[in-house]
Structure formats: structure tokens, C-alpha cells
């Protein structure tokens, strides 16, 4: 099988004849066939039947059978350093296979995981190509530091940190803080530098048993990405071509010009202003009030185009297999202008074993070049906020229109952003070499050597043409930011393993070590003073150049780990792992941490009593695990006393000033994980159910502690006995509903019900987080005023306070308001009828989130110049006695008694949704057609992503936020052929 264990009782037969035999206890067989061209079939219940020509099966060959898809407990689980069957695993692991990834028209493979694994929550920050996604496994553990999982690609760690420069902001995908639905950061996704078509499977390791062998690096879970490898057999050429279009799925109902002007005039009347000001261009005749433009159609209503082309060649014999794949992917945007994300990729792997199978070598390498070209600003917010009677965007000569009055612009033309390009070019190399040698039966030495090189070059251009006159001719306003980011990692992991059958049991021992080094470099400079916009791409043409940022960090990590696994009679399971980690991010006294876990399981359906009395229960297993891991996801050099250069210089000389006080005593955050699980299979594995409950407690939290200014520093990073707890119930159900000769219907469902809580935080009231967190509440809460409604006598919003209703609340009046997920999951249905295959996947999330912006209809923005709002705002206060949800219109936004609405619980609302995330329909050509065209396989298909969204959310999209570009509805058509 896939773990390398011999399989007895496998039926081996000559296809088309009754000539057959079966393998013995060691998996060996002997079969006389008519000729070398005879096809030999290998079949076993729960495994996929494999057919191989006899000439490719010389004596001594090893045939490996793969578990059938519907028999999930026979699936082989990859735990990085070792493999085991799902049936005998004591850990909690979710698997997404290549088929599920390939059916989704996405350029970032992480987006293909949304809703498909219990306990894994993914949130996209934008619908723009290459955008970052927030990823969490089993919730948020750390208060102030990293909560990212560990990513391993073919045994090599992959950084989840965006290379987008924080100094430059990164344009529309910049690393700037964003008040979107889940308060996410931005940046370009590092996983966009991967090719989804190169991936064979993605495993998500969640509990202590599955992650503890990775020590501190696995504190927040582990995601293992395995790329495709060659298989023994004839050389096969696979070609996949697809093309499609994408559009925004939802738009908002905004005020038309008549409605907008009605509120604008009402605002001046409410403020007692009888003379229209000169700067009220939309009312005083400077703008054409007959204009009525839906800016959503103009700015985000275009069609994005998607192109994907993949080619691979694979094959080999029993000793040597190879795989070479290349691809091209391009996706444009819905904005005006020529913007896109285009990437080319090359993936290679070579697997070789000696004739006696004692020596094995695997070499793999992947390279991706990604060119991301976007405007500096997401135009979605302008599409929602721009007044419907705003002027045309272009002048007659094709230049941007600023509607000048007396030499001054009357509105900000949103297309200025399309002239300020933000370009990021990423080059990513991942390589790995694995060598192994079997010294004695069951005793094997192995070593892995990995190297990654991830580089990004950014430019953010601001030409003078993007300014309104008279600044559009000023050389000083022409600027270009340049940034280079580099992240290189090498890792060496030697290990030795021993497997031995002992009585009715099987013993597995593994000991290894990890030596890893990471070097990160960033450099940014600002150039300006170009004499012409056409010269702006070359920094040598600038009259002024200044350093905008520089950073160089070195991270070193060392560990030794071990594992002992024992299985008695395939019924009682025990797995013990331990790891000692050393990190350069801590001082000498606290650099080392000891972590480990124990997992146990009982397959109770092996008991004869269960077999006799519950024949309909085909499989049952109880499992549990407990372990301790650490977390070192903090910035480098934090324990040292550091200095920075002063700017400007003093007396022409550059000096230093202290920026951080030393603290060599802080150490690892400690995460304690406890989990129990039940796995059941009914009716000959037609129904498979898994239920889990976990509790994770993260203590020794690394947080910022305020210091008295007399120390010369405002704060220091320390360990506090603050405790964060995550608990959840998880359910996964897989069923084969109908299975006949011509029709098959199977389903897969997962559900996660999480709970996050700040259990304790000594000194919280005196900390920098006093206005952010509350003991006993989730970390995702928002401290807000309690909105009481609109005072019917004066139309002013009122809020609760200790002294009664008020229109001017203070921080002491704030209450905790939950904003986060209450439950989430996904539902997949797969239908197969003859040559047709249909897969339908729904993602669902029950949550509350930030639901406020300048477009939500709060009284704070009613009546502001050049700010449109939804039509719901028409239900606003107009005269005493009105009982309405929105206050009176005013031009005084930001001053009391206005401006508190976005900081109240009225700004947090229901953001739940059900999304038809993926629909894939394919037709496989009849075998006779394929043979006539000399093809091994051929199918045509249609794929749709984000097809429908059902939600009551008030903003643009409940996932990306109220004014961000939502995930696009993408529909593609393609063909896949194997030669």
C-alpha cells in the first residue's frame, strides 16, 4: 500500500482471461501470462484497481495500490516525517486532493481550501488577483503575535509572510491596515507564487498528535503541500486549456441624483444654512444635475478575463519516474484599464530507486514568475461613494476631467488611481532533495535538503498626469517608489527510522533533527523630480533619491525530534512524539523549549462482540491526544537593545538613538492542546462520520507591557500569564448516497462550531490592550457604544451611558460587541452519470462583522458633499415625531453630536452567508473516440467559482467587507487531454 506495507490477498489477474492468483502475506505473487503485452490487473477491496502491461513488471518490481476515494479510512495520511493509514491514525488531519483543487479556477491554491476542511477558516481580503487571505487553524491563539500555520511544500518550509513592502504600502494590495469585515491586513499573497495545477494534495494537520512533531513551528497547525510526481508506466502527456470571464457578483442600491440632491438640500436646511456655499459644486450649478451615473458600472462593472494553460509530461519504469510540468495563468481585473496578474511556472521531479530498492532518491524543484500589475487603489469604495451627478471622468481630449472652477478642482477623479500603477514581480524557487538508504530490514536512514528563494521587485509610480492642475506639470510631484524584498531559506533534516513486527503489533521508531536558516532582506527608495512622465520608470532620471526603508534579518532554528508509534493487532493505537526546539528569536537563557504529545486510539469494531451485535457498523474508532507546543512567531532581535539612525543628521553627521530596551528573559508562548474524536463508518463504509472536540489553551503570552517614561522607553515586550482558550466541536460526514452501474451520488459535509475566550490577563486595565480586549470575551470583540436609536424630537443619534441616553458618549460607555464566526463549513455533492460528472460545493458562514462605512446609511454621512449612500438611507429623520432608523441629514460630519455611529454596536451586524463556491461540470469523451484520436483520456468541462451568494449583509460582500472588491464570479470552459 502507500505506506510501503505488504498487502496480502490482492487479486492479480491477466485481463480478459480467468488466469489469476493472489498475493501472499509478504505481498508477493507469481503469474504466468501469455506475452509481454498482456495486461495484468491488481484489485483489492477499498483500493483503486491498477492495470499494468506485463513488460513493465519485471521480477522484483513493487506495485503500489492507492486507496479508493470512497473508502476514506484507507487513505494514506501524510504527516510530513512519516505516513500512515487514516484508519490507524491517532491524529486529526484534513485532506484536499488534486481533483478538488483542479476544479476551481483560482490562481492561489489556498483559495481552493475555503470551506473544505473542518477547523480551517480562510478569509479573502479582496477579489483582486493575487490578494492576501487570512488563514487560521483552530482559532486565534496568540494575542499580539503570529497565528499563521506552518506551511511545508515537499518537505521544505514556505514563508506565509507577504513580500509586499510595508514601507511602500503596495498599492491596492498593500500591507496597510484595513477596517474591512474581519479587520484584515493586506498585501500580495505569497501563495500566489504557486501553481495550483502542480499540487497533488494538501493535508491540514490540526491536533497535538499531528503537529507536535513539528514543535514550535506547528503551534498554529501545519499545512502540508505535496506536488505531483511521476508514476511508472508509459510516458504520458497531459494538456489542460481553459478560458473564462469574471464579474462582480453583487452591487448596492444607491441613491439616484434626485434622491441624492434631496438629502443634500435637506442637510443645509437642517443646519440653518440658507445660502448654498461656493464649494457645494453639486448644488450651485457647477455640476450638471441632469447627470445620473451608476459609478459601480463604470468603475467595477467591467469583465475580468481568465486564461489557464498547463502542460505536463510524466512516466518512467519501476526504478525511475519523472514529472515535468509547465503552466501559464493570467487574470485581468474589473477596473477600467489594462491590469492583470500573469504567471508562468515550471515544476520538475525525479524519483529513483536502486534495483534492490534499498537506495531511494527524490529530487523536486518548482519555479514561478508572477507579474502583478494593479492600480494603486481599489476603486470599489469610489464606485460606492461618488455622487451620482458627478462630472464625466474624461475631457474631450482624453485627459482626466477635474471639473475646474476658478482654477480649482471640484471633485477627485477616481481614475487618477489608474494612472498610478503598482507593479510587483515575484520570482519563487522551491527545491528539495531526499536521500534514503535501507541498512537492514526495517532500518532506514534518510535526509532531506531543502532550499527556497523568494524575491519580489515592486514599483509604485505616481506621474504628474494623475494630479489635477496646476500640479500636473510639477516635476517634484512625479515620483516612483522602488522596493526589493528577498527571503531565502535552507533546511537540512537527517533522520533514522526503524519498523518491526512484534507479536501481534507493529513498532515504528523515528529520530531526526532539523537545521534551518532564513535570511530576509528588504530595501526601498523614493525617487522624484522627473522632467517627464515617460521617464518615470528609470530611477536614474530622477533629480531626488532618498532611502525609504532598509531591513536585514537572520533567523536560525535547530531541533531534535522523535516519535514512537505502536499498533497492537490493528486495534490499539499509541503514538508518542517529542521535540526540543531552539530559536534565535529568544535570548540565550530561553532559546530552547521542550514540546511533545501523546495520541491514543481504540478501533472498537475489531472486538468480536461489536462485530456480532452491530453488523451494520463497519468501522468505529475512539481517539484522543494531548500535547504542548510553542510559538516563536515574533519579530527578530526583540530581546536585544536596538538602535536606529537619526534623521535628519546633526551637524552633518549621522548618529544613533535607542529604540528598544533589552529583555533577554522572555521566551516561548506555550500552547496546550487537548482533543478527543470519534470515527464511525456504516453500511460497508457507505456512511463515514467523524466528530471531534478540542480545547487549546495558549499561555505565557508575549505582549507589549507599558513602561514609565522615566525609563526612556514607552514599552517592552514580555511574557505575561495571560491565557487564551479556543474550543470547538467539529463534524465531518461523507456518504455514498447512490451507487449503481450508471449513476453515483456522493456527499461530503463539514461543520465547525468554534469558541474563543480571553481567560485571564493580569494587569489588563493598565495595558495597551485595555480598550481592545475583555476578560471572558473572545479576542474578536469590538468595544463599541450601545446605539439606542434616533431621538424623535431632534433627529440626533443617541447612545447608552451611565447617566442615561446621550449624543456624546465617552470611552467609559463602551461595551463588548462580538464580531466573529459562530459556525462555518461546507457541503459538497458529486454526481456521476455515465460520462458526465457534476460537482457542486456550497460554503456557509454564520458570523457578525463590521457593517458600517460611509455608505451604510447612518445619519453621520447624510448630506455630505460628493458622498452617495444606499437607498435605505431615505428612511431618515425629517421632522419632530419621526420614528426612523436614521438620523437627520447634516453637513457637520465628524463633530458632535455627529460621528459616533461607526463606533457603536449599530456598526456591527449580521454578515452570514451561503455561497455557491464552486460548480464543475465535465464530460468524458467515449473510449472509442479517445482511441481514434490516440488519447488516453479526454474531457471537456465548465467550472464556476463564487457563482451565487445568499446574504443579508448590508455592504458589498460579507467576506471582503463593506467597500472592498468582492470575490468575482468566474466562469470558465476548458478541455483536458492525456496523450
Amino acid at each position: 500500500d502507500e505506506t510501503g506495507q505488504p498487502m496480502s490477498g490482492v487479486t492479480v489477474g491477466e485481463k480478459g482471461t480467468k488466469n489469476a492468483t493472489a498475493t501472499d502475506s509478504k505481498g508477493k505473487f507469481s503469474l504466468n501470462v501469455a506475452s509481454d503485452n498482456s495486461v495484468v490487473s491488481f484489485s483489492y477491496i477499498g483500493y483503486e484497481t491498477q492495470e499494468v502491461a506485463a513488460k513493465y513488471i519485471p521480477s522484483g518490481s513493487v506495485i503500489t495500490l492507492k486507496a479508493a476515494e470512497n473508502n476514506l479510512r484507507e487513505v494514506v495520511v501524510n504527516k510530513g516525517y512519516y505516513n500512515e493509514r487514516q484508519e490507524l491514525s491517532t491524529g486529526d488531519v484534513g485532506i484536499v486532493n488534486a481533483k478538488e483543487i483542479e476544479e476551481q479556477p483560482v490562481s492561489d491554491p489556498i483559495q481552493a481550501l475555503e470551506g473544505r476542511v473542518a477547523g480551517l477558516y480562510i478569509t479573502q481580503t479582496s477579489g483582486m488577483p493575487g490578494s492576501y487571505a487570512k488563514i487560521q487553524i483552530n482559532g486565534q491563539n496568540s494575542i499580539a503575535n503570529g497565528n499563521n500555520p506552518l506551511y511545508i511544500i515537499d518537505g521544505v518550509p514556505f514563508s506565509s509572510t507577504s513580500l509586499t513592502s510595508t514601507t511602500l504600502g503596495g498599492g491596492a494590495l498593500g500591507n496597510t491596515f484595513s477596517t474591512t469585515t474581519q479587520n484584515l491586513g493586506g498585501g500580495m499573497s505569497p501563495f500566489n507564487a504557486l501553481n495550483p495545477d502542480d499540487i497533488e494534495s494538501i493535508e491540514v494537520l490540526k491536533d497535538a498528535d499531528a503537529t507536535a512533531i513539528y514543535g514550535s513551528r506547528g503551534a498554529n497547525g501545519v499545512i502540508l503541500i505535496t506536488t505531483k510526481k511521476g508514476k511508472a508506466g508509459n510516458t504520458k502527456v497531459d494538456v489542460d486549456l481553459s478560458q473564462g470571464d469574471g464579474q462582480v457578483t453583487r452591487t448596492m442600491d444607491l441613491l439616484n441624483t434626485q434622491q441624492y440632491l434631496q438629502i443634500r438640500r435637506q442637510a443645509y436646511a437642517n443646519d440653518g444654512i440658507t445660502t448654498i456655499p461656493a464649494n457645494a459644486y453639486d448644488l450651485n450649478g457647477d455640476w450638471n444635475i441632469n447627470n445620473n451615473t451608476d459609478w459601480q458600472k463604470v468603475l467595477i462593472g467591467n469583465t475580468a478575463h481568465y486564461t489557464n494553460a498547463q502542460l505536463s509530461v510524466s512516466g518512467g519504469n519501476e526504478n525511475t519516474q519523472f514529472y515535468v510540468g509547465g503552466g501559464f495563468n493570467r487574470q485581468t481585473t474589473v477596473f477600467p484599464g489594462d491590469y492583470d496578474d500573469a504567471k508562468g511556472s515550471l515544476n520538475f521531479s525525479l524519483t529513483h530507486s536502486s534495483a534492490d530498492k534499498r537506495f531511494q532518491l527524490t529530487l523536486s524543484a518548482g519555479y514561478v514568475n508572477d507579474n502583478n500589475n494593479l492600480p494603486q487603489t481599489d476603486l470599489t469604495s469610489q464606485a460606492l461613494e461618488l455622487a451620482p451627478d458627478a462630472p464625466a471622468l474624461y475631457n474631450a481630449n482624453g485627459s482626466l476631467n477635474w471639473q475646474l472652477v476658478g482654477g480649482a478642482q471640484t471633485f477627485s477623479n477616481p481614475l487618477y488611481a489608474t494612472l498610478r500603477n503598482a507593479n510587483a514581480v515575484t520570482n519563487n524557487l522551491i527545491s528539495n532533495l531526499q536521500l534514503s538508504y535501507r541498512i537492514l530490514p526495517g532500518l532506514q536512514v534518510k535526509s532531506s535538503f531543502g532550499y527556497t528563494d523568494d524575491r519580489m521587485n515592486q514599483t509604485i509610480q505616481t506621474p504628474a498626469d494623475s494630479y489635477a492642475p496646476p500640479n500636473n506639470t510639477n516635476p517634484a510631484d512625479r515620483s516612483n517608489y522602488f522596493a526589493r524584498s528577498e527571503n531565502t531559506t535552507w533546511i537540512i533534516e537527517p533522520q533514522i527510522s526503524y519498523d518491526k513486527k512484534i507479536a501481534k503489533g507493529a513498532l515504528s521508531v523515528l529520530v531526526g533533527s532539523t537545521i534551518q536558516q532564513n535570511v530576509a532582506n528588504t530595501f526601498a527608495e523614493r525617487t522624484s523630480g522627473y522632467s517627464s512622465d515617460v521617464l518615470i520608470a528609470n530611477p536614474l532620471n530622477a533629480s531626488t533619491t532618498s532611502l525609504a526603508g532598509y531591513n536585514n534579518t537572520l533567523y536560525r532554528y535547530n531541533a531534535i525530534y522523535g516519535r514512537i508509534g505502536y499498533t497492537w493487532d490493528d486495534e490499539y493505537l499509541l503514538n508518542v512524539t517529542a521535540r526540543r526546539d531552539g530559536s534565535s528569536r529568544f535570548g540565550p537563557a530561553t532559546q530552547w523549549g521542550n514540546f511533545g504529545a501523546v495520541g491514543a486510539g481504540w478501533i472498537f469494531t475489531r472486538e468480536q462482540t461489536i462485530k456480532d451485535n452491530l453488523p451494520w457498523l463497519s468501522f468505529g474508532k475512539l481517539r484522543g491526544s494531548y500535547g504542548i507546543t510553542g510559538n516563536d512567531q515574533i519579530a527578530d532581535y526583540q530581546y536585544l537593545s536596538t538602535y536606529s539612525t537619526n534623521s535628519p543628521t546633526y551637524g552633518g553627521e549621522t548618529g544613533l538613538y535607542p529604540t528598544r530596551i533589552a529583555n533577554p528573559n522572555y521566551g516561548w508562548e506555550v500552547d496546550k492542546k487537548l482533543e478527543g474524536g470519534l470515527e464511525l463508518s456504516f453500511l460497508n463504509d457507505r456512511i463515514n462520520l467523524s466528530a471531534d472536540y478540542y480545547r487549546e489553551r495558549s499561555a505565557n503570552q508575549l505582549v507589549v507591557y507599558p513602561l514609565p517614561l522615566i525609563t526612556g522607553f514607552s514599552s517592552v515586550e514580555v511574557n505575561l500569564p495571560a491565557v487564551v482558550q479556543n474550543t470547538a466541536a467539529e463534524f465531518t460526514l461523507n456518504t455514498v448516497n447512490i451507487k449503481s452501474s450508471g449513476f453515483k451520488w456522493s456527499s461530503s459535509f463539514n461543520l465547525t462550531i468554534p469558541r474563543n475566550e480571553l481567560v485571564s490577563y493580569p494587569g489588563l486595565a493598565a495595558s495597551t490592550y485595555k480598550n481592545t480586549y475583555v476578560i471572558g470575551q473572545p479576542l474578536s470583540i469590538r468595544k463599541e457604544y450601545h446605539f439606542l436609536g434616533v431621538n424623535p424630537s431632534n433627529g440626533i443619534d443617541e447612545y447608552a451611558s451611565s447617566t442615561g441616553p446621550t449624543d456624546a458618549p465617552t470611552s467609559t460607555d463602551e461595551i463588548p460587541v462580538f464580531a466573529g464566526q459562530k459556525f462555518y463549513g461546507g457541503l459538497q455533492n458529486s454526481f456521476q452519470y455515465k460520462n458526465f460528472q457534476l460537482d457542486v460545493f456550497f460554503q456557509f458562514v454564520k458570523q457578525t462583522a463590521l457593517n458600517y462605512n460611509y455608505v451604510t446609511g447612518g445619519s453621520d454621512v447624510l448630506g455630505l458633499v460628493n458622498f452617495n449612500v444606499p437607498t435605505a438611507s431615505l428612511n431618515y429623520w425629517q421632522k419632530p415625531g419621526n420614528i426612523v432608523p436614521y438620523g437627520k441629514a447634516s453637513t457637520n460630519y465628524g463633530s458632535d453630536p455627529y460621528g459616533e455611529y461607526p463606533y457603536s454596536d449599530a456598526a456591527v451586524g449580521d454578515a452570514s452567508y451561503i455561497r455557491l463556491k464552486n460548480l464543475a461540470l465535465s464530460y468524458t469523451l467515449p473510449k472509442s473516440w479517445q482511441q481514434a484520436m490516440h488519447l488516453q483520456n479526454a474531457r471537456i468541462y465548465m467550472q464556476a467559482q463564487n457563482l451565487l451568494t445568499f446574504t443579508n449583509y448590508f455592504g458589498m460582500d460579507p467576506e471582503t467587507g463593506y467597500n472592498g472588491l468582492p470575490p468575482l464570479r468566474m466562469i470558465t470552459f476548458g478541455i483536458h487531454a492525456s496523450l
Side-chain angles (χ1 to χ4, degrees), residues 30 44 98 131 204 229 233 268 356 449 470 474 537 549 565 569 620 654 665 716 726 738 753 924 964:
S30 177
Y44 190 79
S131 59
V204 181
K229 305 294 188 298
Y268 282 110
D356 59 4
F449 307 85
N474 188 357
D569 200 24
T654 299
N665 298 315
V716 62
N726 284 285
I738 299 176
I753 308 173
T924 301

Side-chain angles (χ1 to χ4, degrees), residues 736-749:
V736 179
N737 307 313
I738 299 176
K739 188 175 182 180
S740 63
S741 58
F743 180 71
K744 178 182 177 182
W745 171 27
S746 61
S747 301
S748 178
F749 172 82

